[in-house]
């Protein structure tokens, strides 16, 4: 079938607009275009939104430059006065919301000075720059200055989904047929007999529409919950005198927001303080060059990103008064790109729809021709009655209903249903899927490039070993710290505490109970905790020394440096970072008295051995150093050499529980796990061996060595690389690119920093860390791992495989029903001149195989067996030979059963009397439905014999099966007037069930038939060869 689906191949990521348009044009047969394309990108709306976005950006850029030029010619006295409203004045504020918004948006520095600068502005919005706002003031601030929320499209109501379901062309035709049937039937057959056929069709249509709408509406609710989760962004603010974390939607004008590298600016604001703050404003202005924010350029714009540095800002404008608010309105227009599986199944639905339409037309032609020939033979060709009209109308209704059954509209929609279900479950399991296709692609992942810190390890760091004053020490609790304090001199202790408390981007703050809490990265938090245990006072140290310049830590330099002014006016530089980098900058060390003494080559060698020893114990190693600067004029240039080494630190970060098992699970599933870390090679190897990543024959390599390799060398070693240590973000990006292009792998990669964004974007599946990750990393990721746990990544892979397998199960089930229903109706029309299944019965069968079948099979939870088979390849055929074997086998059996009952049923069942034909027709319908129900159970596993494994874990499947059986009983026993059925005896009910159940042992026989010719253990579809013996069961 794959050769007929070439128009429906789509890349799983970064699809071009041409590719998206191409497959849409190839979809020719659609019963309900609005419903079929509801979950795919609206390219027209997306284009409009893009134009609107560009217009807003252009207007902003023009307004900014025009205003900037104009302000040079306007002095303070010639400025436009903004009148303060009574409401604002009565609330105690001294500046109008629109004036505040205009000033920041236009970067009006003169306007800021008119209002008294930062302090004057803070007074006018009633806030203390140290204490922040008071929580009790939040309602009045929201009333005057607005909420930090954006205009969103209203959610679709249930009635809208009912309307979508009703727009099915075939259902509309059937409604018209039903109305005509009632109109013709009433005069011909009288009341109420003349209404039965028409009302039966209308009731069936109502049921189909209702069940479809309920399924679609529940699915939309799952996506709505997912969207809410995606928009959850939290920021650090100072309120009521202490630091706290709040949602960006709870921000109000006057809030003091703390920003650090990778954060998204949550509202418009004014700079309070900070170091080396670089802001990327390209999302608003389109300008790629980052802007340096300082007292001279103090304005922040909502939606921009912090690319470097840290600082504090005063919130001045929120919500729809910001330019970002206006842009947010356009961000959701057009929807997400469709997934490759959705597109592929649109192709399958189109192909089968063409076949079904041809069968429907042929069936109609055969029925009409036979009817006309019969009338001609009886010499009644000129004698027409209303009953003849009803017969022809019934033939047309049957043909239309065949199209309803034959066009598998539910196939592409089943993918969305399965993905929605999987995404909802994954959200409960701490994985937020941002892009639908990622969940699907993760099932094909052959390689996971994972970070170490926080993903494989707990991220709960403590200082475990240190080297200071020439001696290595192990620390175990406060007792060890007390011993350390007694063994080092006061001068050494003073320098060490300065190095810890001055050279940090983290903070020690008070919570609402007055207790100390540390806010910052786990590594810095471990150092600060160590400093506090040594008796240090963070606030006192910070007040005693003034920080002159900061060079924040980043993953490229792998160090952080500061210059501080000492009380006597001298300058001192502090540096901490990767041990070998900082050690290479040192030419002296601190002795027991705190004096700087020269560092000999022998000592450097000894210290290097200490560092490697710490690293071999899986400890993260850092060096702390300082340098007294002789020339005060050099305060803007942080030294790069001549430092004095204070201490080597070994920080313990234990392996997460369950990581070793998760790695083993990946390896068993054919997924290679590669560790990419900025840590020392020895540390990386120790952790990799502990969790089973580094195996015999595997290669551990450092970033600089990897970068120096030629393309030929990389091609040779890349399959063996298991650990990449001391890596830069560029190394991660290069590794991902080479794995995909040279090795043909489907790569998932984790990332948390701003510099990881290119690798996350390039990978097949980008996985951002929810706890340690920056907003920039999350924005470029496909999935956010909310607990930063490697086990969660494995869970995503399992669900990705479950989605693929579930859709295969559903396709196998639906194609079997398609084949049987088409052949039965066509052959019966040719032989007997009537269809064995009426329009109402076919609509019920359509409901079983479409919406209810999708609910039952497409929402099955994953099982552990999924992770014991290799991943599905990139270019694999979706409908496998194994599936065709099952479809053909079951179809032949069902066709034989229905054919035998149709021809020999009365004789075999010894039926006689006037109602024998009605009983046989009902028995055929009942048997056909039970054949589908048992085949639905068979479809739970395409290859394995034991189809009952985990059946009670799938409560949706159980409910669907029970409801289907229950409603089948109601249709046959109580709705015969509308459904053209008669009540059956208990013997015939039992026989229907037994004939349907024969499909189960038949499935066992079919699964024992070999279908693959490949002698290898891996089939063409990427799965292991069909197992035998106990493994098969």
């Amino acid at each position: 079938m794959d050769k007929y689906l070439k128009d429906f191949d789509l890349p799983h990521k970064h699809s071009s607009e041409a590719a998206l348009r191409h497959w849409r044009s190839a979809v020719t047969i659609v019963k309900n275009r609005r419903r079929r394309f509801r979950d795919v990108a609206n390219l027209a709306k997306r284009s409009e939104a893009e134009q609107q976005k560009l217009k807003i950006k252009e207007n902003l850029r023009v307004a900014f430059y025009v205003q900037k030029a104009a302000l040079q010619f306007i002095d303070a006295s010639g400025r436009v006065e903004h009148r303060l409203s009574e409401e604002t004045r009565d609330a105690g504020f001294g500046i109008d919301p629109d004036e505040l918004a205009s000033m920041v948006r236009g970067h009006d520095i003169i306007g800021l000075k008119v209002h008294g600068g930062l302090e004057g502005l803070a007074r006018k919005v009633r806030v203390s720059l140290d204490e922040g706002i008071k929580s009790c003031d939040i309602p009045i601030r929201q009333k005057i200055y607005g909420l930090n929320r954006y205009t969103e499209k209203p959610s679709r109501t249930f009635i809208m989904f009912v309307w979508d379901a009703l727009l099915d062309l075939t259902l509309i035709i059937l409604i018209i047929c039903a109305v005509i049937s009632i109109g013709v039937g009433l005069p011909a057959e009288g009341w109420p007999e003349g209404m039965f056929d028409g009302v039966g069709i209308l009731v069936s249509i109502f049921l189909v529409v209702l069940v479809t709408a309920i399924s679609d509406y529940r699915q939309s609710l799952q996506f709505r919950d997912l969207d809410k989760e995606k928009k959850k962004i939290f920021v650090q603010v100072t309120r009521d005198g202490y630091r706290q974390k709040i949602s960006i939607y709870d921000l109000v004008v006057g809030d003091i927001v703390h920003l650090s590298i990778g954060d998204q600016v949550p509202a418009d604001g004014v700079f309070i303080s900070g170091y080396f703050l670089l802001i990327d404003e390209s999302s608003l202005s389109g300008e790629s060059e980052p802007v340096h924010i300082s007292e001279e350029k103090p304005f922040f714009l909502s939606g921009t990103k912090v690319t470097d540095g840290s600082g504090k800002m005063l919130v001045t404008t929120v919500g729809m008064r910001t330019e970002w608010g206006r842009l947010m309105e356009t961000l959701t227009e057009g929807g997400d790109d469709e997934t490759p599986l959705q597109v592929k199944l649109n192709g399958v639905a189109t192909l089968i729809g063409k076949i079904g339409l041809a069968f429907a037309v042929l069936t109609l032609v055969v029925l009409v021709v036979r009817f006309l020939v019969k009338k001609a033979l009886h010499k009644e060709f000129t004698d027409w009655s209303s009953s003849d009209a009803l017969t022809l109308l019934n033939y047309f209704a049957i043909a239309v209903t065949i199209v309803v059954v034959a066009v598998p509209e539910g196939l592409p929609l089943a993918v969305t249903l399965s993905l929605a279900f999987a995404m909802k479950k994954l959200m409960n399991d701490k994985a937020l899927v941002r892009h639908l296709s990622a969940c699907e692609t993760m099932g094909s992942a052959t390689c996971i490039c994972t970070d170490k810190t926080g993903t494989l390890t707990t991220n709960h760091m403590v200082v475990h070993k240190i080297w200071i004053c020439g001696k290595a020490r192990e620390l175990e609790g406060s007792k060890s710290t007390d011993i350390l304090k007694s063994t080092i001199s006061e001068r050494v202790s003073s320098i060490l505490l300065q190095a810890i408390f001055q050279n940090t981007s983290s903070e020690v703050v008070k919570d609402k109970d007055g207790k100390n809490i540390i806010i910052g990265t786990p590594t810095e938090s471990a150092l600060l905790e160590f400093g506090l245990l040594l008796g240090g006072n963070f606030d006192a140290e910070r007040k005693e020394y003034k920080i002159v310049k900061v060079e924040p830590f980043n993953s490229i330099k792998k160090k952080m440096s500061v210059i501080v002014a000492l009380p006597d006016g001298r300058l001192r530089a502090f540096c901490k970072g990767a041990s070998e980098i900082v050690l290479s900058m040192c030419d002296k060390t601190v002795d027991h008295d705190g004096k700087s003494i020269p560092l000999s080559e022998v000592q450097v060698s000894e210290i290097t051995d200490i560092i490697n020893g710490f690293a071999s114990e899986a400890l993260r190693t850092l060096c702390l150093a300082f340098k007294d600067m002789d020339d005060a004029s050099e305060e803007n240039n942080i030294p790069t050499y001549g430092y004095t080494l204070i201490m080597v630190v070994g920080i313990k970060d234990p392996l997460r529980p369950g990581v070793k098992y998760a790695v083993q699970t990946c390896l068993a599933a054919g997924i290679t796990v590669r560790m990419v870390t900025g840590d020392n090679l020895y540390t990386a190897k120790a952790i990799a061996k502990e969790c089973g990543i580094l195996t015999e024959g595997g290669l551990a390599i450092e970033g600089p060595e990897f970068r120096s390799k030629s393309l030929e060398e990389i091609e040779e070693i890349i399959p063996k690389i298991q650990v990449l240590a001391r890596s830069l973000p560029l190394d991660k990006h290069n590794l991902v690119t080479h794995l995909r292009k040279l090795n043909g792998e489907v790569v998932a990669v984790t990332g948390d920093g701003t510099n990881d964004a290119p690798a996350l974007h390039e990978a097949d599946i980008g996985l951002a860390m929810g706890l340690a990750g920056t907003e920039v990393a999350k924005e470029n990721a496909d999935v956010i791992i909310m607990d930063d746990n490697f086990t969660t990544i494995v869970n995503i892979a399992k669900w990705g495989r479950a989605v693929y397998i579930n859709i295969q199960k559903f396709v196998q089930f639906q194609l079997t029903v398609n084949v049987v229903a088409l052949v039965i109706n066509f052959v019966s029309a040719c032989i007997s001149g009537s269809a064995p299944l009426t329009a109402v019965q076919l609509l019920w069968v359509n409901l079983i195989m479409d919406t209810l079948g999708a609910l039952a099979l497409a929402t099955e939870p994953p099982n552990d067996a999924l992770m014991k088979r290799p991943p599905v390849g990139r270019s694999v055929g979706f409908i496998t030979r194994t599936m065709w074997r099952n479809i053909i086998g079951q179809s032949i059996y069902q066709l034989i059963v229905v054919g035998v009952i149709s021809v020999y049923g009365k004789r075999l069942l010894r039926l006689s009397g006037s109602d024998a034909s009605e009983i046989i027709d009902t028995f055929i319908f009942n048997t056909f439905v039970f054949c589908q129900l048992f085949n639905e159970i068979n479809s739970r596993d395409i290859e394995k014999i034991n189809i009952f494994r985990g059946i009670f874990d799938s409560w949706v499947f159980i409910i669907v099966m029970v409801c289907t059986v229950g409603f089948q009983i109601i249709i046959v026993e109580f709705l015969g007037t509308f459904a053209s059925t008669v009540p059956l005896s208990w013997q015939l009910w039992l026989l229907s069930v037994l004939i349907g159940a024969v499909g189960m042992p038949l499935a066992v026989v079919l699964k024992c038939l070999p279908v693959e010719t490949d002698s290898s253990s891996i089939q063409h579809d990427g799965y292991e060869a069909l197992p035998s013996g106990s493994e098969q069961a």
Side-chain angles (χ1 to χ4, degrees):
M1 184 180 273
D2 288 337
K3 63 182 178 181
Y4 299 109
L5 300 176
K6 288 177 182 175
D7 290 332
F8 297 92
D9 282 331
L10 192 75
H12 56 266
K13 205 171 179 181
H14 314 312
S15 302
S16 67
E17 188 172 330
L20 295 175
R21 290 192 184 281
H22 179 70
W23 82 260
R24 282 165 172 73
S25 64
V27 177
T28 51
I29 294 182
V30 183
K31 294 190 297 181
N32 188 339
R33 185 165 288 273
R34 181 157 165 174
R35 182 168 180 255
R36 173 84 78 91
F37 291 108
R38 185 178 58 225
D39 297 311
V40 302
N42 187 323
L43 299 181
K45 279 192 177 179
R46 183 183 284 184
S47 179
E48 286 174 22
E50 200 58 44
Q51 292 299 320
Q52 192 178 344
K53 234 182 281 183
L54 290 171
K55 191 175 177 182
I56 291 171
K57 287 182 179 181
E58 188 60 32
N59 289 346
L60 182 69
R61 191 160 60 243
V62 169
F64 170 59
Y65 287 121
V66 167
Q67 191 160 357
K68 190 176 178 184
L71 287 172
Q72 295 177 7
F73 301 99
I74 301 173
D75 61 11
S77 61
R79 298 183 58 79
V80 177
E81 279 289 327
H82 284 264
R83 292 188 61 187
L84 198 62
S85 69
E86 288 291 327
E87 189 181 29
T88 307
R89 190 181 291 110
D90 292 344
F93 299 109
I95 187 167
D96 183 75
D98 291 328
E99 182 181 3
L100 200 51
S102 173
M103 179 176 64
V104 176
R105 185 168 58 239
H107 290 52
D108 184 358
I109 193 75
I110 296 175
L112 180 62
K113 289 176 181 175
V114 167
H115 287 287
L118 175 65
E119 287 75 15
L121 197 61
R123 282 194 299 275
K124 291 191 175 185
V125 294
R126 288 174 42 203
V127 64
S128 160
L129 295 175
D130 295 322
E131 302 286 317
I133 65 165
K134 294 178 180 176
S135 295
C136 59
D137 290 344
I138 291 173
I140 191 68
R141 290 178 184 275
Q142 290 178 334
K143 183 180 178 184
I144 301 298
Y145 292 102
L147 299 164
N148 198 30
R149 294 184 180 273
Y150 314 110
T151 304
E152 295 183 27
K153 288 193 300 184
S155 301
R156 290 169 61 84
T157 62
F158 176 69
I159 298 300
M160 290 178 176
F161 287 98
V162 171
W163 180 247
D164 281 358
L166 269 172
L167 290 176
D168 189 308
L169 180 61
T170 51
L171 293 186
I172 292 169
I173 294 171
L174 284 174
I175 290 169
I176 294 168
C177 289
V179 172
I180 295 172
S181 175
I182 292 169
V184 176
L186 278 174
E189 300 176 17
W191 172 271
E193 288 81 4
M195 292 189 62
F196 289 155
D197 288 345
V199 170
I201 293 174
L202 289 175
V203 169
S204 300
I205 290 170
F206 172 76
L207 187 64
V208 168
V209 167
L210 187 66
V211 173
T212 302
I214 289 171
S215 173
D216 290 350
Y217 181 62
R218 284 180 58 81
Q219 185 179 305
S220 77
L221 292 179
Q222 289 177 324
F223 281 124
R224 197 189 303 175
D225 291 343
L226 199 67
D227 282 337
K228 283 181 185 173
E229 201 67 37
K230 283 181 193 176
K231 292 171 184 172
K232 282 185 180 175
I233 299 175
F234 292 91
V235 289
Q236 290 280 346
V237 299
T238 298
R239 276 186 185 177
D240 299 316
Y242 67 92
R243 282 277 286 274
Q244 51 189 288
K245 186 189 279 190
I246 65 166
S247 166
I248 61 167
Y249 299 114
D250 296 330
L251 274 180
V252 292
V253 169
D255 264 321
I256 310 298
V257 177
H258 300 258
L259 297 169
S260 57
I261 185 169
D263 284 347
Q264 177 176 302
V265 178
D268 288 1
V270 175
F271 176 80
I272 298 174
S273 62
Y275 306 103
F276 202 66
L277 257 177
L278 283 179
I279 304 292
D280 176 11
E281 292 186 349
S282 60
S283 58
L284 277 179
S285 65
E287 297 291 337
S288 58
E289 199 64 35
V291 177
H292 183 258
I293 300 293
S294 61
E295 289 176 1
E296 291 73 34
K297 287 186 177 179
F299 300 111
F300 292 91
L301 292 177
S302 177
T304 56
K305 308 288 191 304
V306 182
T307 58
D308 210 349
S310 60
K312 291 195 293 184
M313 75 170 225
L314 170 66
V315 174
T316 58
T317 320
V318 293
M320 292 306 295
R321 281 195 172 93
T322 66
E323 288 299 327
W324 183 248
R326 291 171 60 198
L327 266 178
M328 284 292 285
E329 281 188 277
T330 68
L331 290 182
T332 54
E333 289 294 332
D336 287 335
D337 281 353
E338 48 274 23
T339 73
L341 206 48
Q342 281 175 320
V343 174
K344 183 77 78 179
L345 289 182
N346 264 292
V348 174
T350 301
L351 184 60
I352 296 171
K354 289 176 181 177
I355 298 167
L357 184 62
F359 267 88
V361 171
L362 276 172
T363 304
L364 179 61
V365 169
V366 169
L367 287 171
V368 171
V369 168
R370 281 184 63 100
F371 177 75
L372 294 175
V373 169
K374 187 178 178 183
K375 281 190 78 70
L377 290 173
H378 288 84
K379 297 180 181 179
E380 297 172 356
F381 202 77
T382 55
D383 184 18
W384 291 83
S385 64
S386 58
S387 62
D388 292 334
L390 276 175
T391 302
L392 289 173
L393 187 66
N394 188 43
Y395 290 162
F396 182 70
I398 287 170
V400 172
T401 313
I402 288 172
V403 175
V404 173
V405 177
V407 179
E409 200 88 336
L411 281 183
L413 299 171
V415 181
T416 313
L417 175 69
S418 186
L419 288 170
F421 184 79
M423 288 162 76
K424 178 75 175 174
K425 291 291 184 184
L426 283 170
M427 193 163 69
N428 296 336
D429 292 342
K430 304 296 183 186
L432 177 62
V433 180
R434 295 184 72 248
H435 300 132
L436 269 176
S437 58
C439 191
E440 188 180 293
T441 310
M442 196 65 193
S444 301
T446 59
C447 167
I448 299 173
C449 296
T450 176
D451 291 331
K452 176 187 78 71
T453 307
T455 308
L456 298 172
T457 60
T458 59
N459 222 13
H460 297 304
M461 300 192 186
V462 290
V463 175
H464 182 63
K465 284 190 172 183
I466 62 168
W467 176 93
I468 190 168
C469 301
K471 193 171 182 182
R473 294 176 169 86
E474 184 174 329
L475 303 177
E476 290 290 345
S478 56
K479 199 171 184 181
S480 301
T481 317
D482 292 338
I483 294 170
L484 176 64
K485 280 193 284 186
S486 63
T487 55
I488 59 174
S489 68
E490 192 175 326
R491 178 170 167 76
V492 172
S493 178
S494 173
I495 292 171
L496 176 58
L497 290 175
Q498 285 176 38
I500 291 172
F501 291 137
Q502 301 299 333
N503 188 21
T504 181
S505 59
S506 298
E507 292 182 75
V508 180
V509 298
K510 303 285 184 185
D511 64 10
K512 58 183 177 183
D513 299 321
K515 294 179 181 176
N516 280 340
I517 57 168
I518 300 171
I519 295 175
T521 64
T523 305
E524 291 203 319
S525 296
L527 285 172
L528 287 178
E529 195 173 345
F530 175 65
L532 294 172
L533 286 171
L534 285 175
N537 185 314
F538 181 82
D539 289 332
E541 288 280 349
R542 281 298 183 98
K543 285 174 184 172
E544 188 176 352
Y545 306 98
K546 182 188 174 186
I547 294 176
V548 177
K549 185 175 176 63
V550 176
E551 187 183 80
F553 178 88
N554 66 48
S555 51
I556 296 171
K557 295 174 183 173
K558 299 195 182 299
K559 62 185 176 69
M560 176 181 180
S561 306
V562 297
I563 297 175
V564 299
L566 303 176
D568 59 8
R570 290 183 299 121
L571 295 178
R572 178 173 288 170
F574 291 99
C575 181
K576 73 172 178 200
S579 45
E580 67 273 22
I581 292 173
V582 175
L583 182 60
S584 68
M585 297 163 61
C586 297
D587 56 11
K588 294 181 280 295
T589 186
V590 173
D591 68 4
H592 291 281
D593 299 321
K595 294 176 182 176
S596 295
I597 57 172
L599 200 57
S600 66
E601 287 187 16
V602 174
Q603 285 177 303
V604 169
S605 178
E606 287 174 356
I607 294 168
T608 302
D609 290 341
I610 292 289
I611 290 168
N612 291 340
F614 285 3
S616 298
E617 295 177 42
L619 301 180
R620 168 172 274 194
T621 61
L622 299 174
C623 285
L624 277 64
F626 79 98
K627 178 181 181 179
D628 286 323
M629 299 170 66
D630 301 323
D631 189 353
S633 64
E634 289 292 309
E635 64 178 46
N636 287 322
N637 296 317
I638 294 178
T640 55
Y641 62 91
Y643 281 86
T644 300
L645 180 66
I646 305 170
M647 178 171 72
V648 177
V649 185
I651 296 176
K652 189 176 184 178
D653 186 11
L655 207 62
R656 279 185 182 272
V659 161
K660 195 168 184 178
Y661 175 75
V663 170
Q664 287 172 350
T665 303
C666 283
L667 296 177
I671 303 171
T672 306
V673 182
R674 293 178 168 90
M675 182 199 288
V676 183
T677 177
D679 273 351
N680 180 302
L681 182 63
Y682 291 96
T683 306
K685 285 171 74 173
I687 287 285
K689 282 178 181 173
E690 190 179 346
C691 62
I693 290 174
L694 187 58
T695 57
E696 194 175 338
L699 180 64
I701 189 172
E702 287 191 317
E705 187 182 348
F706 178 70
R707 289 193 294 277
S708 67
K709 298 280 184 188
S710 67
L711 192 62
E712 290 76 20
E713 289 174 318
I714 286 175
E715 196 169 354
E716 185 183 339
I717 66 167
I718 205 156
K720 302 174 190 172
I721 293 177
Q722 292 176 343
V723 177
L724 185 60
R726 280 292 181 243
S727 64
L728 305 178
L730 179 64
D731 297 327
K732 186 185 284 187
H733 181 265
N734 288 339
L735 178 65
V736 169
T737 304
H738 291 319
L739 283 168
R740 292 184 71 228
K741 292 182 178 173
L742 299 179
N743 237 30
E745 300 213 36
V746 178
V747 182
V749 66
T750 67
D752 52 19
T754 305
N755 293 322
D756 286 329
L760 292 168
H761 186 74
E762 172 68 22
D764 295 288
I765 310 103
L767 306 163
M769 300 296 107
L771 299 176
T774 62
E775 289 306 319
V776 174
K778 291 175 189 176
E779 197 174 86
N780 282 275
D782 302 296
V783 183
I784 298 171
I785 311 301
M786 293 189 284
D787 61 353
D788 293 11
N789 195 339
F790 184 79
T791 308
T792 305
I793 300 172
V794 179
N795 202 29
I796 299 167
K798 189 190 287 186
W799 269 103
R801 292 183 176 199
V803 166
Y804 190 87
I805 294 292
N806 286 347
I807 299 304
Q808 282 189 316
K809 294 175 190 175
F810 175 60
V811 168
Q812 176 181 295
F813 167 67
Q814 191 167 58
L815 289 186
T816 307
V817 186
N818 280 129
V819 170
V820 177
L822 285 177
V823 175
I824 283 175
N825 279 284
F826 179 68
V827 172
S828 180
C830 292
I831 295 171
S832 65
S834 63
L837 300 178
T838 65
V840 171
Q841 290 168 1
L842 281 171
L843 281 170
W844 171 234
V845 170
N846 179 65
L847 191 60
I848 291 172
M849 77 170 195
D850 202 327
T851 307
L852 295 178
L855 277 170
L857 292 170
T859 58
E860 289 245 271
N863 56 64
D864 292 337
L866 289 174
M867 298 303 282
K868 292 176 182 174
R869 57 201 310 173
V872 180
R874 281 184 189 270
S875 55
V876 165
F878 180 73
I879 303 179
T880 65
R881 294 181 196 174
T882 307
M883 291 167 67
W884 279 123
R885 176 198 63 194
N886 297 340
I887 292 165
I888 293 166
Q890 291 289 345
S891 298
I892 291 171
Y893 167 68
Q894 291 181 26
L895 287 169
I896 291 170
V897 165
V898 175
V900 168
I901 296 171
S902 298
V903 178
Y904 304 107
K906 289 181 186 177
R907 195 192 322 167
L908 291 171
L909 299 174
R910 296 175 184 173
L911 295 174
S912 60
S914 58
D915 62 347
S917 296
E918 287 86 349
I919 291 173
I920 285 295
D921 287 344
T922 304
F923 182 66
I924 289 172
F925 167 57
N926 204 39
T927 303
F928 180 74
V929 167
F930 275 99
C931 281
Q932 306 324 314
L933 288 176
F934 281 102
N935 191 39
E936 198 166 352
I937 298 171
N938 286 331
S939 298
R940 289 193 69 248
D941 202 305
I942 294 169
E943 293 179 352
K944 298 287 177 70
I945 290 170
N946 185 1
I947 51 176
F948 295 105
R949 183 183 293 166
I951 194 168
F952 293 107
D953 295 333
S954 180
W955 57 269
V956 178
F957 187 90
I958 299 293
I959 290 171
V960 167
M961 296 298 289
V962 170
C963 290
T964 306
V965 171
F967 203 76
Q968 178 66 16
I969 293 169
I970 293 169
I971 287 174
V972 171
E973 296 294 322
F974 305 107
L975 298 179
T977 308
F978 300 104
S980 304
T981 60
V982 293
L984 297 176
S985 64
W986 70 267
Q987 292 94 338
L988 290 179
W989 270 101
L990 181 61
L991 187 58
S992 292
V993 173
L994 287 174
I995 291 171
V998 170
M1000 298 178 79
L1002 174 65
V1004 173
V1005 174
L1006 290 171
K1007 288 173 184 177
C1008 292
L1009 297 177
V1011 290
E1012 304 297 342
T1013 56
D1014 188 359
S1015 60
S1016 72
S1017 64
I1018 305 301
Q1019 297 185 22
H1020 79 290
D1021 60 355
Y1023 294 150
E1024 294 173 356
L1026 193 66
S1028 58
S1030 60
E1031 194 183 52
Q1032 184 176 19

